[in-house]
Amino acid sequence: MSKLKLSDLKTSVPFLEECEDWRRIEKGYSDDEKYIVTHAESKQKALLKLFKISDYTAKQTEYEILYHMKQLDVKCSRPLDFGKLHNVDKGYMLLTYIEGDDASDELPNCSEEEQYRIGLEAGEQLRKMHQLHAPIHLSSWYDRFYPKQKHYIETYKACGVRLEHDSRLISFIEAHLPLAKQRPNLFQHDDFHVGNLVIQDRKLAGVIDFNRFDWGDPIHEFLKVGMFSSEVSIPFSKGQIAAYHQHQEPDESFWKLYSLYLAMCMFSSVVWILKVKPDELSQMVDKVNRVLDDHDYFTSIQPSWYNK
């Protein structure tokens, strides 16, 4: 818990001069400190993020991304203020607050039709995001993606945890890796799943947590459907895929890339959880095993839930 007091921040963040309430958000894996703050007069709520000053440049880029999202009419927080705190070795980002509840909590309370419709809304928002092109100086998706994935597999092999039939997974990945060449270099939210979507009145209120954004193949976004969203709601997951493809059936190239990225995620998920939350390893392995069952250890490029 931060030792900072609201009074410590008022000289740096004008919005907080008339703030009547602030509440810490504990949920999530981010290193940022997050608070819901409420303006005394207007009652406007805002999201305040505090971050390490060493992350200032990266956070500034994240903040600028939200301006682009506003121009693309994406349902997400709007940028309000950004800067450094006085006399504290931290930076801050102030955003509009999206009212509602996590889709991961709310979708099970919705009918299947409602879940599907919310999935359609999510797919439409993802299409809007993917209109943003990577900076021209950035190297290709494959040149950045391949070394990272190679490192994950090597780290996995040395971590002491073993997935069943992992050699079959590695063979599948090696056979399909060339498909990732010559792919588009577009904006990636890179954590687009039901845990980062907000629902209000059984409608999609917005997308949150852009802190992991990246640039590359837009199909890479869909591995989170396999890992997380489909576990919560299959109708939602189908709706997201349908709307993104403008209600046309995804072609084989989509499913091949989807399964390639998801297969790679089996290894990176183990490596990531051991680094960030090792006490949650068993839960992560359960997710991985569910995905492996969905794809019969990637003998099938389409997940079994998709055709149910």
Side-chain angles (χ1 to χ4, degrees), residues 15-67:
F15 182 91
L16 300 182
E17 291 178 3
E18 300 297 330
C19 178
E20 68 175 6
D21 182 48
W22 77 331
R23 176 166 55 87
R24 178 82 179 258
I25 301 174
E26 301 288 354
K27 192 173 182 179
Y29 292 96
S30 171
D31 291 333
D32 298 345
E33 295 177 33
K34 294 181 285 189
Y35 299 87
I36 301 172
V37 294
T38 306
H39 194 272
E41 185 175 339
S42 68
K43 306 302 180 185
Q44 178 189 2
K45 287 184 179 180
L47 177 65
L48 177 67
K49 292 186 176 186
L50 308 182
F51 52 85
K52 295 180 292 187
I53 203 67
S54 57
D55 294 335
Y56 191 86
T57 301
K59 290 296 181 181
Q60 191 168 32
T61 304
E62 178 188 339
Y63 186 75
E64 291 167 357
I65 286 291
L66 293 175
Y67 277 108

Side-chain angles (χ1 to χ4, degrees), residues 57-271:
T57 301
K59 290 296 181 181
Q60 191 168 32
T61 304
E62 178 188 339
Y63 186 75
E64 291 167 357
I65 286 291
L66 293 175
Y67 277 108
H68 292 292
M69 294 298 108
K70 180 179 180 180
Q71 291 171 345
L72 294 171
D73 196 31
V74 173
K75 289 182 179 180
C76 64
S77 293
R78 301 302 185 219
L80 295 174
D81 195 10
F82 183 89
K84 298 177 182 178
L85 297 179
H86 301 155
N87 304 317
V88 181
D89 198 25
K90 288 181 181 290
Y92 73 89
M93 183 187 305
L94 190 71
L95 312 172
T96 58
Y97 178 71
I98 299 174
E99 295 277 4
D101 298 293
D102 282 2
S104 55
D105 296 328
E106 287 301 303
L107 281 169
N109 300 324
C110 299
S111 68
E112 289 195 359
E113 291 78 10
E114 289 169 333
Q115 292 176 44
Y116 184 77
R117 176 177 48 75
I118 294 168
L120 292 177
E121 294 177 281
E124 290 166 0
Q125 295 305 307
L126 196 57
R127 278 186 63 85
K128 290 181 180 181
M129 291 184 194
H130 291 164
Q131 295 177 69
L132 184 61
H133 288 259
I136 56 174
H137 67 270
L138 201 66
S139 58
S140 75
W141 159 244
Y142 185 82
D143 286 347
R144 289 177 293 113
F145 164 78
Y146 175 68
K148 186 188 301 184
Q149 299 307 315
K150 184 179 178 181
H151 172 73
Y152 275 130
I153 292 177
E154 290 172 350
T155 306
Y156 160 79
K157 289 178 178 179
C159 77
V161 177
R162 280 291 171 270
L163 301 175
E164 192 173 359
H165 305 306
D166 57 1
S167 61
R168 285 166 56 181
L169 280 178
I170 293 172
S171 296
F172 175 83
I173 290 168
E174 290 175 346
H176 290 81
L177 259 177
L179 297 174
K181 296 180 179 179
Q182 309 303 320
R183 293 297 300 162
N185 224 2
L186 304 177
F187 174 79
Q188 296 173 330
H189 179 279
D190 211 34
D191 205 19
F192 192 92
H193 60 82
V194 292
N196 284 327
L197 301 175
V198 177
I199 292 176
Q200 187 178 44
D201 299 327
R202 305 198 175 209
K203 295 180 181 179
L204 182 67
V207 185
I208 61 173
D209 286 355
F210 282 71
N211 57 299
R212 294 185 184 176
F213 81 90
D214 203 349
W215 308 95
D217 187 355
I219 294 178
H220 188 263
E221 300 268 36
F222 285 87
L223 71 85
K224 297 299 174 77
V225 172
M227 281 296 292
F228 301 107
S229 297
S230 61
E231 186 176 28
V232 174
S233 171
I234 290 173
F236 168 91
S237 301
K238 289 182 177 181
Q240 180 183 321
I241 292 170
Y244 188 86
H245 290 89
Q246 298 179 297
H247 300 276
Q248 301 295 314
E249 187 65 26
D251 58 22
E252 188 178 37
S253 65
F254 169 82
W255 289 116
K256 283 183 176 180
L257 283 161
Y258 168 87
S259 57
L260 167 65
Y261 297 142
L262 194 53
M264 289 178 157
C265 185
M266 302 297 93
F267 298 117
S268 61
S269 294
V270 171
V271 172

